[in-house]
Amino acid sequence: MDNSSSVACSAPRHAPGALLDALSRRFGERASTTQAVRDHHGRDESPFPIAAPDAVVFAHSTDEVADAVRLCAMHRTPIIAFGAGTSLEGHIQAIAGGVTIDLTGMNQVLAVRADDLDATAQAGVTRKQLNEQLRDTGLFFPIDPGADATLGGMAATRASGTNAVRYGTMRENTLALTAVLADGSVVRTGSRARKSAAGYDLTRLLVGSEGTLGIITEVTVRLHPQPEAISSAVCTFQTVRTAVETVIATIQSGIPVARCEFLNVMSVRAINAYAKLGLQEAPMLFFEFHGSPNAVKEQAQAVEALALDHGGSGFAWSSTPEERSRLWKARHDAYFATMALRPNARVLSTDACVPISQLAECIVQTEADIGRSTLPIVLMGHVGDGNFHLGINLDPDSPAELHEAEAINERLVERAIAMGGTCTGEHGIGMGKIAHLEREHPSGVPVMRAIKRALDPHDLLNPGKVLRMHA
Amino acid sequence: MDNSSSVACSAPRHAPGALLDALSRRFGERASTTQAVRDHHGRDESPFPIAAPDAVVFAHSTDEVADAVRLCAMHRTPIIAFGAGTSLEGHIQAIAGGVTIDLTGMNQVLAVRADDLDATAQAGVTRKQLNEQLRDTGLFFPIDPGADATLGGMAATRASGTNAVRYGTMRENTLALTAVLADGSVVRTGSRARKSAAGYDLTRLLVGSEGTLGIITEVTVRLHPQPEAISSAVCTFQTVRTAVETVIATIQSGIPVARCEFLNVMSVRAINAYAKLGLQEAPMLFFEFHGSPNAVKEQAQAVEALALDHGGSGFAWSSTPEERSRLWKARHDAYFATMALRPNARVLSTDACVPISQLAECIVQTEADIGRSTLPIVLMGHVGDGNFHLGINLDPDSPAELHEAEAINERLVERAIAMGGTCTGEHGIGMGKIAHLEREHPSGVPVMRAIKRALDPHDLLNPGKVLRMHA
């Protein structure tokens, strides 16, 4: 795959002067055309080159987003939503020109309803900010994609992360949304009822639509009781296969693990170097257990027994917060640890997810493949869900390295789809996986296109992402 | 509300002779125009009068469904999918004429993948049939709407039931679908990966679309490990409010109850009469706990303590299968117990679902309202989710009784929506709740209509359900 085939070409539709004037009149200094501001909004964490918008509007309310969208729609100019900028597939790159709406000023938690275990927040609130505000309620918001992403961005990409094996993803944890559609109208989807059979599931349609069907401005999410006790465990294995088979046995036994992460040797080495740790450099599993003190103990013991059955060693579990934080901080630093393997590098992060019975085979084949590469590559993942990532360290200015990384990803996606899996467990399609989506869902993509055309006939919302509309 | 406002009028488009001939050529005796067969397919469990289709096709495969849809589409004739016929809002009534496709012949479980905790089945497989086939795997399929509905019908109505508080609904438990669209094309959505961020969530769009966007022909569902231990508990309360407050406290404590059902005095009385039981006639909670023997014991003790705090009495828990079966059979017979309160009656079943903090108030207000009615009415529900049902016993030939029942439902829906809830937790919209859906989702219904128009421009799939397309 080269970029020309993977990125949907959409002819640039730059914001005309009249639109820039209108935005300036409506938003004053909060409509910026400064180069630095535009550049900052033209790149995410992917290796894709900067594609800056023509202007950036800093919105403070749903009404302001609606006004900005209406003005852009009048001028048939693309509109891109921007949160923390931590997407991994070029989601926020303004590849067709247009106006970016920065939602980080919409940073109010509007309501925490502890009795109902839910909260409503503006789209620019980050997950850490929400959890800060929940601290005294006995509740927490579990979705943890690593980065301190905004709730709007997390909903838009159907994010998940390390806790998903127990608590689900944004798909399961989003109760209701407010979004601005392509014509500037505002839709409120879902309700605070924990379940509903009221019509088409517009909430789930917007979750994962990556700003192409609407701009999410408010999110109502489910909260969960803080577990009475938490414990972590770490265990090393002789082979990748035995580590992964331990995970499969754990899931099949119905042990409600809260987190279950795999790291290969190279990733343990990268983390040791980056975080100055002395973890044993072997295939490794991190576990976390949530529940009553007894339940947590019972879960850890059951997993230890399974690990021993599979030749695991050094099983160590701890319920002290300090030790736990140290381990999880290391796990979350993996992205930066990968980046730090070479100076001035970027990381291409793959995202295959397969049925768990296929996971060991998929990882073993992938390790063989990356063993033939000259690039430094780590492998780690949320293996309780069958989801794992390669972090491919590359020089973004080297076409050869980009090509090599993309070829590895290409083969991995092929492998995952052949095994009944998906090209993306949690990162989304963006501009990087459009061809992969077409391969994975040959009969679904035409349906997605029909929905996109119905809701955004002029292809104004984040054009060139998710779907190739001009093919 | 009267029927004229709640039911979307769609001019009849009866199957022309040429279509009936074509169906007969293609399907032989499996295309029936016999009056008894048509009448059988013209009514569900709601009190709506029979609206028989012009013909019924008994399909055996996705290809056959596609052929039938293509033939109907050529003749611009409506198509209605039919499974067990246990819907509660007139979902399968052929109110605009047309051809019903009976899917009960598609009754093969295609694959059980115990390692992956999933199974793929044809749409006509019922939940009990699937669980029979899972018996030796150590796994089970938890969604239990009471009736032995088909998996296709359960997906189409986003069904849930008593286990949803722990295991989720069809929304959370459907991994992938095969469906035939309005033009006869076949779409395969989702994958067997446990999570995916690959494009728009077509699986979730079809789940709950009630046959109006596509006819579901195959369903891949999540399975769950059979719990090591199961125990039940029952407890009575002095008031509705204290019973419901016990539930709220249970959910807020994070106790992972598997089932949590409330019955009011009238419903206990109906069940006692129908099932010859001697339950104490007081507001009552049924609980079920799943887990390890220790976890189950711990959960039951924690709930008992909460029940005592709220004045509960007679807390009795049991882990013998016989006692458990007896209780749950009684709970599941509630529908028939309600029907049996008067001879020749039908039951109008309401389905409000509210945020759990509002549940006690919602039930108390509703009990006051039904106390003023002359009709026999029971109240029970899946209170762990905030969902409860009235079973309104009525004479379907009495306009006055129908009107009274609808007025009670109308006020209940109003109350639920005002409390941040939904008009339907699990029964769906069908032809009975179209006006309620419009009230609940004033900004969402136009979006739903746009999607319907994009995927079914001639309004062929189950017209007159979910949305008013000809208003």
Side-chain angles (χ1 to χ4, degrees), chain A residues 233-250:
Chain A
V234 44
C235 185
T236 57
F237 293 83
Q238 285 170 352
T239 65
V240 171
R241 197 178 285 277
T242 49
V244 174
E245 281 168 356
T246 303
V247 175
I248 296 175
T250 301

PDB file of all heavy atoms in Angstrom, chain A residues 233-250:
ATOM      1  N   ALA A 233      -0.893  -7.715  38.902  1.00  0.00           N
ATOM      2  CA  ALA A 233       0.033  -8.843  38.870  1.00  0.00           C
ATOM      3  C   ALA A 233       0.867  -8.748  37.614  1.00  0.00           C
ATOM      4  O   ALA A 233       0.429  -8.196  36.603  1.00  0.00           O
ATOM      5  CB  ALA A 233      -0.734 -10.161  38.891  1.00  0.00           C
ATOM      6  N   VAL A 234       2.069  -9.279  37.688  1.00  0.00           N
ATOM      7  CA  VAL A 234       2.925  -9.329  36.517  1.00  0.00           C
ATOM      8  C   VAL A 234       3.555 -10.718  36.484  1.00  0.00           C
ATOM      9  O   VAL A 234       3.782 -11.341  37.527  1.00  0.00           O
ATOM     10  CB  VAL A 234       3.956  -8.169  36.538  1.00  0.00           C
ATOM     11  CG1 VAL A 234       4.568  -7.988  37.892  1.00  0.00           C
ATOM     12  CG2 VAL A 234       5.019  -8.342  35.484  1.00  0.00           C
ATOM     13  N   CYS A 235       3.746 -11.232  35.285  1.00  0.00           N
ATOM     14  CA  CYS A 235       4.219 -12.599  35.148  1.00  0.00           C
ATOM     15  C   CYS A 235       4.971 -12.717  33.827  1.00  0.00           C
ATOM     16  O   CYS A 235       4.546 -12.137  32.828  1.00  0.00           O
ATOM     17  CB  CYS A 235       2.999 -13.525  35.159  1.00  0.00           C
ATOM     18  SG  CYS A 235       3.415 -15.284  35.154  1.00  0.00           S
ATOM     19  N   THR A 236       6.085 -13.441  33.812  1.00  0.00           N
ATOM     20  CA  THR A 236       6.833 -13.615  32.556  1.00  0.00           C
ATOM     21  C   THR A 236       6.688 -15.042  32.040  1.00  0.00           C
ATOM     22  O   THR A 236       6.389 -15.968  32.800  1.00  0.00           O
ATOM     23  CB  THR A 236       8.335 -13.306  32.746  1.00  0.00           C
ATOM     24  OG1 THR A 236       8.829 -14.162  33.780  1.00  0.00           O
ATOM     25  CG2 THR A 236       8.551 -11.859  33.118  1.00  0.00           C
ATOM     26  N   PHE A 237       6.916 -15.185  30.744  1.00  0.00           N
ATOM     27  CA  PHE A 237       6.724 -16.478  30.070  1.00  0.00           C
ATOM     28  C   PHE A 237       7.913 -16.773  29.175  1.00  0.00           C
ATOM     29  O   PHE A 237       8.652 -15.864  28.771  1.00  0.00           O
ATOM     30  CB  PHE A 237       5.426 -16.448  29.244  1.00  0.00           C
ATOM     31  CG  PHE A 237       4.207 -16.357  30.100  1.00  0.00           C
ATOM     32  CD1 PHE A 237       3.781 -15.119  30.575  1.00  0.00           C
ATOM     33  CD2 PHE A 237       3.517 -17.493  30.479  1.00  0.00           C
ATOM     34  CE1 PHE A 237       2.674 -15.021  31.398  1.00  0.00           C
ATOM     35  CE2 PHE A 237       2.399 -17.407  31.305  1.00  0.00           C
ATOM     36  CZ  PHE A 237       1.979 -16.170  31.771  1.00  0.00           C
ATOM     37  N   GLN A 238       8.056 -18.058  28.843  1.00  0.00           N
ATOM     38  CA  GLN A 238       9.166 -18.428  27.963  1.00  0.00           C
ATOM     39  C   GLN A 238       8.877 -18.076  26.510  1.00  0.00           C
ATOM     40  O   GLN A 238       9.778 -17.775  25.747  1.00  0.00           O
ATOM     41  CB  GLN A 238       9.469 -19.924  28.109  1.00  0.00           C
ATOM     42  CG  GLN A 238      10.198 -20.197  29.418  1.00  0.00           C
ATOM     43  CD  GLN A 238      10.304 -21.665  29.739  1.00  0.00           C
ATOM     44  OE1 GLN A 238       9.716 -22.507  29.065  1.00  0.00           O
ATOM     45  NE2 GLN A 238      11.068 -21.981  30.769  1.00  0.00           N
ATOM     46  N   THR A 239       7.617 -18.134  26.136  1.00  0.00           N
ATOM     47  CA  THR A 239       7.269 -17.837  24.749  1.00  0.00           C
ATOM     48  C   THR A 239       6.042 -16.933  24.694  1.00  0.00           C
ATOM     49  O   THR A 239       5.263 -16.857  25.651  1.00  0.00           O
ATOM     50  CB  THR A 239       6.911 -19.125  23.966  1.00  0.00           C
ATOM     51  OG1 THR A 239       5.718 -19.678  24.529  1.00  0.00           O
ATOM     52  CG2 THR A 239       8.028 -20.164  24.026  1.00  0.00           C
ATOM     53  N   VAL A 240       5.907 -16.262  23.563  1.00  0.00           N
ATOM     54  CA  VAL A 240       4.726 -15.461  23.296  1.00  0.00           C
ATOM     55  C   VAL A 240       3.469 -16.329  23.381  1.00  0.00           C
ATOM     56  O   VAL A 240       2.461 -15.954  23.975  1.00  0.00           O
ATOM     57  CB  VAL A 240       4.820 -14.873  21.867  1.00  0.00           C
ATOM     58  CG1 VAL A 240       3.512 -14.215  21.468  1.00  0.00           C
ATOM     59  CG2 VAL A 240       5.977 -13.895  21.777  1.00  0.00           C
ATOM     60  N   ARG A 241       3.585 -17.526  22.789  1.00  0.00           N
ATOM     61  CA  ARG A 241       2.405 -18.381  22.712  1.00  0.00           C
ATOM     62  C   ARG A 241       1.868 -18.757  24.095  1.00  0.00           C
ATOM     63  O   ARG A 241       0.662 -18.683  24.343  1.00  0.00           O
ATOM     64  CB  ARG A 241       2.745 -19.648  21.905  1.00  0.00           C
ATOM     65  CG  ARG A 241       1.528 -20.396  21.407  1.00  0.00           C
ATOM     66  CD  ARG A 241       1.902 -21.610  20.566  1.00  0.00           C
ATOM     67  NE  ARG A 241       2.360 -21.300  19.236  1.00  0.00           N
ATOM     68  CZ  ARG A 241       1.559 -21.061  18.196  1.00  0.00           C
ATOM     69  NH1 ARG A 241       0.245 -21.073  18.363  1.00  0.00           N
ATOM     70  NH2 ARG A 241       2.046 -20.800  17.013  1.00  0.00           N
ATOM     71  N   THR A 242       2.757 -19.140  25.006  1.00  0.00           N
ATOM     72  CA  THR A 242       2.273 -19.554  26.333  1.00  0.00           C
ATOM     73  C   THR A 242       1.684 -18.365  27.102  1.00  0.00           C
ATOM     74  O   THR A 242       0.714 -18.520  27.849  1.00  0.00           O
ATOM     75  CB  THR A 242       3.388 -20.225  27.146  1.00  0.00           C
ATOM     76  OG1 THR A 242       4.568 -19.406  27.089  1.00  0.00           O
ATOM     77  CG2 THR A 242       3.717 -21.603  26.581  1.00  0.00           C
ATOM     78  N   ALA A 243       2.261 -17.181  26.881  1.00  0.00           N
ATOM     79  CA  ALA A 243       1.697 -15.989  27.533  1.00  0.00           C
ATOM     80  C   ALA A 243       0.275 -15.766  27.033  1.00  0.00           C
ATOM     81  O   ALA A 243      -0.664 -15.592  27.829  1.00  0.00           O
ATOM     82  CB  ALA A 243       2.566 -14.764  27.235  1.00  0.00           C
ATOM     83  N   VAL A 244       0.118 -15.791  25.728  1.00  0.00           N
ATOM     84  CA  VAL A 244      -1.203 -15.500  25.155  1.00  0.00           C
ATOM     85  C   VAL A 244      -2.197 -16.603  25.509  1.00  0.00           C
ATOM     86  O   VAL A 244      -3.374 -16.337  25.771  1.00  0.00           O
ATOM     87  CB  VAL A 244      -1.086 -15.279  23.636  1.00  0.00           C
ATOM     88  CG1 VAL A 244      -2.469 -15.113  23.015  1.00  0.00           C
ATOM     89  CG2 VAL A 244      -0.227 -14.045  23.352  1.00  0.00           C
ATOM     90  N   GLU A 245      -1.720 -17.842  25.561  1.00  0.00           N
ATOM     91  CA  GLU A 245      -2.644 -18.930  25.925  1.00  0.00           C
ATOM     92  C   GLU A 245      -3.123 -18.786  27.372  1.00  0.00           C
ATOM     93  O   GLU A 245      -4.241 -19.189  27.705  1.00  0.00           O
ATOM     94  CB  GLU A 245      -1.975 -20.295  25.680  1.00  0.00           C
ATOM     95  CG  GLU A 245      -2.040 -20.644  24.190  1.00  0.00           C
ATOM     96  CD  GLU A 245      -1.157 -21.819  23.786  1.00  0.00           C
ATOM     97  OE1 GLU A 245      -0.417 -22.329  24.652  1.00  0.00           O
ATOM     98  OE2 GLU A 245      -1.220 -22.206  22.608  1.00  0.00           O
ATOM     99  N   THR A 246      -2.301 -18.208  28.224  1.00  0.00           N
ATOM    100  CA  THR A 246      -2.745 -17.919  29.595  1.00  0.00           C
ATOM    101  C   THR A 246      -3.907 -16.932  29.585  1.00  0.00           C
ATOM    102  O   THR A 246      -4.878 -17.086  30.335  1.00  0.00           O
ATOM    103  CB  THR A 246      -1.567 -17.347  30.411  1.00  0.00           C
ATOM    104  OG1 THR A 246      -0.494 -18.286  30.369  1.00  0.00           O
ATOM    105  CG2 THR A 246      -1.968 -17.059  31.835  1.00  0.00           C
ATOM    106  N   VAL A 247      -3.798 -15.937  28.714  1.00  0.00           N
ATOM    107  CA  VAL A 247      -4.872 -14.943  28.608  1.00  0.00           C
ATOM    108  C   VAL A 247      -6.162 -15.600  28.126  1.00  0.00           C
ATOM    109  O   VAL A 247      -7.239 -15.378  28.693  1.00  0.00           O
ATOM    110  CB  VAL A 247      -4.471 -13.827  27.623  1.00  0.00           C
ATOM    111  CG1 VAL A 247      -5.631 -12.859  27.416  1.00  0.00           C
ATOM    112  CG2 VAL A 247      -3.239 -13.098  28.129  1.00  0.00           C
ATOM    113  N   ILE A 248      -6.041 -16.419  27.095  1.00  0.00           N
ATOM    114  CA  ILE A 248      -7.223 -17.085  26.548  1.00  0.00           C
ATOM    115  C   ILE A 248      -7.894 -17.920  27.643  1.00  0.00           C
ATOM    116  O   ILE A 248      -9.118 -17.846  27.835  1.00  0.00           O
ATOM    117  CB  ILE A 248      -6.820 -17.980  25.349  1.00  0.00           C
ATOM    118  CG1 ILE A 248      -6.264 -17.103  24.221  1.00  0.00           C
ATOM    119  CG2 ILE A 248      -7.998 -18.812  24.859  1.00  0.00           C
ATOM    120  CD1 ILE A 248      -5.722 -17.881  23.025  1.00  0.00           C
ATOM    121  N   ALA A 249      -7.099 -18.675  28.386  1.00  0.00           N
ATOM    122  CA  ALA A 249      -7.662 -19.502  29.459  1.00  0.00           C
ATOM    123  C   ALA A 249      -8.339 -18.629  30.515  1.00  0.00           C
ATOM    124  O   ALA A 249      -9.389 -18.991  31.060  1.00  0.00           O
ATOM    125  CB  ALA A 249      -6.562 -20.362  30.085  1.00  0.00           C
ATOM    126  N   THR A 250      -7.768 -17.476  30.793  1.00  0.00           N
ATOM    127  CA  THR A 250      -8.337 -16.560  31.783  1.00  0.00           C
ATOM    128  C   THR A 250      -9.716 -16.071  31.338  1.00  0.00           C
ATOM    129  O   THR A 250     -10.689 -16.107  32.106  1.00  0.00           O
ATOM    130  CB  THR A 250      -7.399 -15.351  31.981  1.00  0.00           C
ATOM    131  OG1 THR A 250      -6.120 -15.837  32.411  1.00  0.00           O
ATOM    132  CG2 THR A 250      -7.950 -14.375  32.993  1.00  0.00           C
TER     133      THR A 250
END
